[in-house]
Amino acid sequence: MTGMRRGEISALRWANINLIEGSVRVTEAVEETKGQRRIKDVKTAHGRRQITLPPVAIEYLKRHKIAEAEKRFRFGLGSDDNAYVFTTA
């Protein structure tokens, strides 16, 4: 829906999403080399961009944010805007 690359979505943090404006700022990506992963800045200035989200994505992210917040509180982690949007925990 957004045209974002898989690595950009994997590195997405809540601080980069504005659910009121319906936008996401792309600033980082996950890079995997030789079996290791790291977070890196996007490659070019053009890659650093703001994307307008469609209404269906905004609604999904609102529900997902609530579910992730509930999960964080269950683990005793509290709120953190710097947390990743998509986790496996």
Side-chain angles (χ1 to χ4, degrees), residues 5-73:
R5 294 169 183 86
R6 187 178 312 164
E8 294 169 342
I9 292 171
S10 297
L12 189 59
R13 299 173 193 261
W14 287 112
N16 293 35
I17 297 176
N18 185 326
L19 293 172
I20 295 168
E21 289 182 6
S23 64
V24 60
R25 281 181 294 121
V26 179
T27 60
E28 299 176 308
V30 172
E31 177 182 64
E32 185 169 353
T33 55
K34 299 180 184 174
Q36 295 187 355
R37 292 184 190 115
R38 70 178 185 99
I39 303 295
K40 63 174 189 143
D41 286 337
V42 291
K43 288 183 179 179
T44 65
H46 184 70
R48 184 175 293 268
R49 62 201 185 279
Q50 184 161 319
I51 297 171
T52 301
L53 296 170
V56 66
I58 296 167
E59 289 307 312
Y60 169 81
L61 286 169
K62 285 179 180 177
R63 291 191 308 274
H64 182 63
K65 187 171 188 175
I66 291 168
E68 288 294 302
E70 290 171 350
K71 188 184 337 179
R72 289 185 61 80
F73 282 111

